[in-house]
Amino acid sequence: MKKEVFKIKGMDCASCASTIERAIKKLPGIKFAEVNFASESLLLEFDEERVSVTDLGKAVKDSGYNLVSDSAADAVTETLFLKVSGMDSNHCAMVVEKAIKSLDGIVAVSVDFANQRAKIVFDPQKASTNQIETVIQGAGYKAVLEKEDKEDALEKEKQERQIELTLLKKKLVVSAILSVPIFFGSFPEWFGFLPGFLVDPRVLFLLAFPIQFWAGSRFYSGLRLLFKYRTADMNTLIAVGTLSAFLYSAAVAFFPLALGQSSIAAKTYFDTSSIIIVLILLGRYLELLAKGRASEAIKKLMKLGVKTAKVDRNGQEMEVRIEEVEVGDVIIVRPGEKIPVDGEIIEGYSQIDESMVTGESLPTTKTTGGQVIGATVNLTGSFKFRATKVGQETLLAQIIKMVQTAQGSKAPIQRLADLVSGYFVPAVILIAVSTFVFWFIFGPPPALAFALVNFVAVLIIACPCALGLATPMAMMVGIGRMAEKGILVRDAASLEVAGKIQSIVFDKTGTLTKGKPAVTDVLAVAGNKEVEVLQIAASLENRSEHVLAKTIVEKAKEKNTELFEIAEFEAVVGKGVKARLKGQDPETFLIGNRALIGENDVLISREVEGKAEELENQGKTVVILARRDRVLGLIAVADTLKPETREFIEDLKNKNLEIWMISGDNERTAQAVARELGIEKVMAQVLPQNKAVKIQELQAQGRKVAMVGDGINDAPALAQSDLGIAMGEGTDIAMEAGDVTLMRGDLRLISGTIDYSKRIMMIVKQNLFWAFFYNIVLIPVAAGALYPFFGILLNPVLAASAMAFSSLSVVLNSLRLKRD
């Protein structure tokens, strides 16, 4: 047996690792195989006589990835990140991917339509960046190499998106205004009060022309797909249908006799082509509004860092740009400042708020030798530290990278309409062409006009107006109703996933708990009273800047407790405080942790120790109050649970969901909270970079995973999960990285999200059925299938009625979502 480590290139998610493992384990002679997604490595133990490296490479290659030796991995391939603009649908992403894969030397390609990004792993000896960009442009899209200065690139991208939104809004407004007279003028039999000129087909032509060729120009990419790549999407259907209706109507408007000699009365369809374009533009506008939130989240993460740092060089303090900080530099940080980069304290001490990284609500005391993290906040003392990680190596930079990677690696949800259109559009075009050929050969004279009318009839009836309403209508009603309940949803894809969730992972601090420490217990010993213990403790802590001290003082104020004046106050770093009560007992009081009590020779009895351990086992921080040689009392501080948490967890269990709790807290605190809530699956002491990995591990088991969090430290996990749920009381970054935001911070809204998701997606599917139903039924009629037997052809009024009924069905069905 031989053990060897290989590199695998092209993996975009943890489930890729599972796919590769299964493929390898099918080979003979494999004793052990483990694929690590995070390190892109394969640990293998195999029988060389039964399986060769070539066989292994082929198995991995057949799975869509590339196997290389660990030592040569970095030399063999390069990874390229491109911004690809011009993609209007998931189908466009598939076209781009197909075009890139046509080049030699391409190892793996992942095109993310939602974020307009492409990740390409390639062999630089066989392919170049220029070749990749050229082939993308040849497919009809624009490729731009990602810049090093990502913040500037994101700002430019935001500006470009705003320009596109402005133009799209202008087209939508103008088209909607023009469509009103077009609609009324197309049905003079219904609206007899209209002036004569408005029913003139040539006037309707002039009104519809800008809608068709200015507002609807974006849909002609569907024609490019049809002729260049012999494939079709919804743009193809919209382009072919509206263009055919428009051109036929134009012919009727200017040459009515040429098409009016057949048994079908010549009629214009300008209203059909115009309204379809307006409705689809509305859907695209709403979709574009939802885009870009991922880049906003990254931008806000970047703003957490600092622009400059105070560096001690040759004994002189100087302020330098953050880009100029080097590993080994000594940096000075004062109270209230952000720490510029990661490093190790070499002089001084302080309390540091690391909640953005660890999720721990209490500040951490740091002394010489302690590790500090860039972008965290220095609360009290001044200190110097030596930079150990700068630039892209800092933890904040890694978090940013993880959010980008997780968002980019999400497989876009294939919308049902696109899936249906993938088969429906080519079939309709084939039927329409066959109809034209058949009636041109066998139709009554004039055969050309007869064939053309039936050809257009098929395309018109097959392009349902209601399709433009099917998804947007249900989403607008459903999402609006959810917003009234305090649930904000990013997009339709998030709703679809919410109803399929199998596992939910909860961050502890600020999600299941209030995220703010509070006094939970005041225990008096040695005959003292609890009110006296709290009064003395709050008096001592009143001059301390420690968060625990402030919590104790707040508790005393809540009880309207009068505080003593103190004298000879002394703060002992990392341990507590000493002080004497002015005008009271002349002896010194102590309040702090065991270290402070022990070094002052205060004896802690077995009974007191037992009570302290009992409180600590509940996940609480214990502060000891003492005087002279005896303990006066214990005060316990903890982050308390939200009042609705227990009820909510039980509700999720009744829905047969697997529940996990993840926390940066220590094991004892996390387990104590989990026991109180009845949560059996716990992950403690998990840092941000590992939170996303934990989510990947659950996804690798084939489960749909939701992550619920509120802090910056949760952003990578929120982005990695199938459904990121952010608490509205948390940070903006968590809300941007998440797919759903609970504005009231009420956990019970998560159950509402799941229930609404199932209802809305059911309505969407019903709408899509009604959007196609009338049209599919009438396609054979439009093709003339009944003409040889009954002399029946599709009457234009019947076509309009089918579309009206289809749209009405969609609207009424969607309005059912207004009912709770």
Side-chain angles (χ1 to χ4, degrees), residues 321-583:
R321 294 173 62 243
I322 194 67
E323 294 82 6
E324 297 174 8
V325 177
E326 300 176 355
V327 173
D329 276 344
V330 175
I331 300 172
I332 303 166
V333 184
R334 295 185 172 85
E337 295 180 346
K338 282 187 177 181
I339 298 170
V341 296
D342 299 358
E344 179 181 337
I345 294 179
I346 59 174
E347 181 184 320
Y349 60 86
S350 184
Q351 292 175 14
I352 298 175
D353 180 2
E354 295 183 338
S355 58
M356 62 153 281
V357 174
T358 65
E360 176 62 69
S361 56
L362 299 176
T364 306
T365 300
K366 300 283 187 177
T367 57
T368 303
Q371 301 295 317
V372 293
I373 302 169
T376 56
V377 181
N378 179 31
L379 297 178
T380 54
S382 297
F383 62 88
K384 292 182 179 181
F385 75 94
R386 180 172 285 107
T388 56
K389 292 182 180 179
V390 300
Q392 296 303 308
E393 298 300 318
T394 64
L395 184 57
L396 177 63
Q398 293 301 312
I399 291 176
I400 293 171
K401 183 179 179 181
M402 282 185 290
V403 173
Q404 288 176 316
T405 301
Q407 289 180 327
S409 65
K410 280 184 178 178
I413 295 175
Q414 186 67 38
R415 295 180 181 175
L416 188 57
D418 286 336
L419 180 64
V420 173
S421 69
Y423 299 96
F424 183 72
V425 176
V428 167
I429 293 174
L430 180 62
I431 292 171
V433 172
S434 301
T435 298
F436 179 86
V437 172
F438 179 85
W439 289 115
F440 181 72
I441 297 174
F442 301 105
L448 177 60
F450 195 91
L452 180 61
V453 168
N454 284 292
F455 169 77
V456 173
V458 170
L459 290 175
I460 291 172
I461 199 64
C463 189
C465 291
L467 187 60
L469 285 172
T471 300
M473 188 67 187
M475 290 300 160
M476 283 188 286
V477 175
I479 291 175
R481 188 60 179 152
M482 292 176 74
E484 291 175 10
K485 298 290 186 179
I487 306 168
L488 298 185
V489 183
R490 178 187 289 189
D491 52 30
S494 304
L495 274 177
E496 185 171 348
V497 173
K500 301 175 182 177
I501 291 301
Q502 299 164 297
S503 300
I504 301 184
V505 180
F506 289 94
D507 170 58
K508 181 185 77 68
T509 306
T511 302
L512 297 175
T513 67
K514 294 179 180 178
K516 182 181 179 182
V519 173
T520 58
D521 303 89
V522 179
L523 301 180
V525 297
N528 293 287
K529 296 180 180 179
E530 290 181 1
V531 65
E532 294 174 346
V533 171
L534 181 60
Q535 184 180 28
I536 296 171
S539 299
L540 298 175
E541 298 282 30
N542 196 29
R543 286 176 56 181
S544 174
E545 295 181 351
H546 198 284
V547 173
L548 288 183
K550 294 178 181 178
T551 300
I552 294 171
V553 173
E554 287 175 4
K555 183 68 173 180
K557 290 180 179 178
E558 181 184 316
K559 297 285 187 180
N560 296 317
T561 304
E562 185 178 350
L563 303 184
F564 298 117
E565 290 188 25
I566 62 173
E568 301 175 18
F569 176 85
E570 179 188 351
V572 183
V573 179
K575 297 176 182 179
V577 300
K578 299 178 182 180
R580 186 174 58 80
L581 302 184
K582 187 181 293 186

Side-chain angles (χ1 to χ4, degrees), residues 664-684:
D665 278 351
N666 60 68
E667 184 76 28
R668 184 168 58 185
T669 301
Q671 289 291 349
V673 173
R675 280 195 303 271
E676 192 173 353
L677 292 173
I679 298 176
E680 298 174 358
K681 301 178 184 296
V682 182
M683 295 175 278

Side-chain angles (χ1 to χ4, degrees), residues 795-815:
N795 190 295
V797 176
L798 182 60
S801 300
M803 292 181 184
F805 276 120
S806 183
S807 298
L808 183 63
S809 300
V810 165
V811 171
L812 293 178
N813 195 43
S814 298
L815 290 176

Side-chain angles (χ1 to χ4, degrees), residues 519-526 528-531 533-534 607-608 610-612 614-615 622-625 631-636:
V519 173
T520 58
D521 303 89
V522 179
L523 301 180
V525 297
N528 293 287
K529 296 180 180 179
E530 290 181 1
V531 65
V533 171
L534 181 60
E607 179 186 357
V608 173
K611 290 181 178 180
E614 182 181 344
L615 292 169
V622 176
V623 178
I624 304 173
L625 175 66
V631 174
L632 301 180
L634 304 175
I635 297 178

Side-chain angles (χ1 to χ4, degrees), residues 11-18 36-39 402-403 405-407 409 505 662 683 688-703 705 707 716-717 719-722:
M11 291 193 294
D12 293 314
C13 58
S15 60
C16 302
S18 301
N36 187 304
F37 164 67
S39 61
M402 282 185 290
V403 173
T405 301
Q407 289 180 327
S409 65
V505 180
I662 191 167
M683 295 175 278
Q689 58 267 41
N690 294 328
K691 284 188 178 183
V693 172
K694 294 294 184 183
I695 298 295
Q696 292 169 1
E697 290 174 357
L698 291 175
Q699 291 171 325
Q701 299 172 16
R703 304 186 69 82
V705 182
M707 171 70 193
Q720 175 62 47
S721 63
D722 297 289

Side-chain angles (χ1 to χ4, degrees), residues 593-666:
N593 56 25
R594 283 183 176 81
L596 178 69
I597 303 302
E599 69 184 22
N600 284 275
D601 299 323
V602 177
L603 179 64
I604 301 177
S605 68
R606 184 174 298 177
E607 179 186 357
V608 173
E609 183 64 40
K611 290 181 178 180
E613 288 182 357
E614 182 181 344
L615 292 169
E616 288 172 339
N617 287 334
Q618 296 171 14
K620 300 174 181 178
T621 300
V622 176
V623 178
I624 304 173
L625 175 66
R627 183 185 62 177
R628 201 181 336 180
D629 59 350
R630 61 195 177 94
V631 174
L632 301 180
L634 304 175
I635 297 178
V637 179
D639 187 6
T640 55
L641 293 172
K642 292 181 178 179
E644 75 276 7
T645 305
R646 294 182 185 86
E647 174 191 344
F648 161 71
I649 293 297
E650 284 301 316
D651 182 47
L652 290 185
K653 286 182 177 180
N654 293 335
K655 294 180 184 295
N656 296 319
L657 293 170
E658 181 183 65
I659 302 171
W660 288 79
M661 189 183 83
I662 191 167
S663 176
D665 278 351
N666 60 68

